[in-house]
Amino acid sequence: MKELTGNIWDFHDMGRWIVITTNGSVRKDGCAVMGRGVALQAKTKFPALPAQLGQSIRDIGNLVRLFSEYRLVALPVKYNWFERADLSLIEQSVRDLCRCADYGFYHETKPFLPTPVYMVRPGCGNGGVDW
């Protein structure tokens, strides 16, 4: 792991995969709540993403999820949008991310190991966790 500074979307624009932090909240219209931080930025960049993530949360739960069409990985850090980030959920999500990278994601048929993968500090910022 290397710690870098900069705009995460610059790496995405270079064709790299990025991880966005998410929560398990789904609105009445079926869209995932993506109201702040890198999740809001992803929602703005990819308008169909909230509906797709919301469907995934309803189908498989608040789990790590690959969105290959956007080169994004959703990494849950909260159970509900209004809560602080949960350190045990972050730990589980990162373990799942590593496992999925080695053995494949829930809906993929082959292992997926993008290198490098870029991510923000999970749970920091709007999640309220100190780095």
Side-chain angles (χ1 to χ4, degrees), residues 27-98:
R27 300 185 327 217
K28 289 181 182 180
D29 67 359
C31 291
V33 175
M34 301 176 74
R36 293 186 176 171
V38 72
L40 176 59
Q41 294 169 5
K43 172 184 166 181
T44 301
K45 196 168 180 80
F46 307 107
L49 180 60
Q52 293 169 324
L53 179 57
Q55 184 65 50
S56 177
I57 292 168
R58 286 191 311 276
D59 290 348
I60 65 170
N62 192 24
L63 301 172
V64 173
R65 173 74 158 84
L66 169 75
F67 293 93
S68 56
E69 63 271 34
Y70 308 123
R71 292 188 322 275
L72 297 177
V73 178
L75 184 93
V77 299
K78 297 180 182 181
Y79 293 102
N80 297 295
W81 69 268
F82 53 85
E83 297 171 336
R84 288 177 50 91
D86 183 278
L87 291 177
S88 63
L89 178 59
I90 293 170
E91 181 179 355
Q92 184 60 52
S93 294
V94 171
R95 289 181 190 276
D96 287 348
L97 176 63
C98 293

Side-chain angles (χ1 to χ4, degrees), residues 96-117:
D96 287 348
L97 176 63
C98 293
R99 182 182 46 77
C100 292
D102 290 339
Y103 301 109
F105 283 81
Y106 305 105
H107 67 290
E108 297 288 317
T109 57
K110 59 184 177 181
F112 170 75
L113 182 58
T115 53
V117 172

